[in-house]
Amino acid sequence: MFELVALARNRVRLAVLSAPATQGLKRSFSQSVTRTAAASFAQHGKKIVAIGRNYSEHAKELNNAVPKEPIVFLKPTTSYLPSGGNMEIPQGVVAHHEVELGVVVGKRGRDIPESEAEGYVAGYDCAALAVDMTARNVQEEIKSKCLPWTVAKGFDTFTPISSYIPKEQVADAANLSLTLKVNGAVKQDGNTKDMIFPIPRLIHHISTIMTLEEGDLILTGTPSGVGPVVPGEKVECTLKDGTGKQLAALDFQAVQRAGGYLYKPE
């Protein structure tokens, strides 16, 4: 089999490679393509699949029942905000922070068994640090009416996100520390080991409902300590492994949105 191996002075040089060598190149190329696509998930991913109440203490602090199966909701990808940006709070909205571990899907899958979940995430144990901003007063009203949470979760800039964290930097996704500070004061300090439903279970459950596609982001839930963020405040988040090594950082400034949506309680 012929493979293109070099290009010099406008001339192409071809080399004959053995079957094992070409198979190795194919695997390497495939992995490289997957890694590149995963790294640009915020630009090319089709959906954000979020999980509610995946830490029991968080469920309790909002007087919610601890779920018997994962609570799934969607956020639009237009809510992404790169680290260092301005998170816009619409008029009349009480915005709450919820720091979370995000998992990037590496390939398309449906009805994925828990035992095979690792193969469907971008390297698995790869991650992103995220904040699921929530319009809490809007959410409380629509929950009382048994309506969807879309408005409360879906505003532009309501998913601040760090850059992609490759697999090799994460030894154990079930033992990662999540912290969030507002103006330097620690508000959330949790660990992924306290998840009610671990990542393989989440991947399985979600994929029985909807097909997961390359570049999708799964937000795995927030630990306790959620609270308000008001215009003028700075939010800083970190993700650390079990040894205390920092894997990611995320920060953003809260600002008042000019125009657009205006919340008026009924």
Side-chain angles (χ1 to χ4, degrees), residues 61-119:
E61 73 181 346
L62 295 182
N63 298 314
N64 292 318
V66 176
K68 295 182 179 180
E69 68 174 30
I71 297 173
V72 178
F73 61 94
L74 297 175
K75 299 189 71 168
T77 56
T78 50
S79 67
Y80 279 135
L81 175 70
S83 181
N86 290 333
M87 187 275 298
E88 301 178 341
I89 302 175
Q91 298 176 65
V93 163
V94 176
H96 275 203
H97 56 75
E98 299 184 7
V99 68
E100 310 200 8
L101 173 69
V103 175
V104 183
V105 175
K107 67 178 181 178
R108 184 182 178 90
R110 184 184 185 203
D111 296 334
I112 302 167
E114 289 186 40
S115 60
E116 298 178 14
E118 177 176 345

Side-chain angles (χ1 to χ4, degrees), residues 95-244:
H96 275 203
H97 56 75
E98 299 184 7
V99 68
E100 310 200 8
L101 173 69
V103 175
V104 183
V105 175
K107 67 178 181 178
R108 184 182 178 90
R110 184 184 185 203
D111 296 334
I112 302 167
E114 289 186 40
S115 60
E116 298 178 14
E118 177 176 345
Y120 284 84
V121 180
Y124 186 53
D125 287 351
C126 86
L129 180 60
V131 178
D132 173 21
M133 292 301 303
T134 304
R136 191 68 72 199
N137 53 344
V138 178
Q139 185 186 42
E140 289 174 351
E141 180 177 318
I142 59 182
K143 280 172 58 180
S144 70
K145 299 176 181 177
C146 298
L147 297 174
W149 300 356
T150 305
V151 174
K153 298 283 191 175
F155 291 108
D156 288 353
T157 74
F158 260 37
T159 310
I161 192 80
S162 75
S163 57
Y164 168 87
I165 306 166
K167 171 186 177 180
E168 54 268 20
Q169 294 185 22
V170 184
D172 184 4
N175 184 24
L176 297 175
S177 297
L178 299 158
T179 62
L180 181 145
K181 297 178 181 180
V182 178
N183 283 353
V186 176
K187 300 296 183 180
Q188 289 188 268
D189 186 6
N191 192 290
T192 56
K193 66 184 179 183
D194 296 323
M195 287 184 185
I196 299 170
F197 306 107
I199 293 170
R201 172 70 186 281
L202 296 179
I203 293 169
H204 166 69
H205 183 74
I206 295 167
S207 71
T208 65
I209 300 167
M210 65 191 78
T211 297
L212 288 170
E213 300 176 280
E214 184 177 329
D216 288 347
L217 180 72
I218 300 173
L219 295 180
T220 58
T222 189
S224 61
V226 302
V229 178
V230 301
E233 291 185 323
K234 184 175 182 178
V235 177
E236 299 170 287
C237 310
T238 59
L239 179 70
K240 297 181 180 180
D241 66 15
T243 69

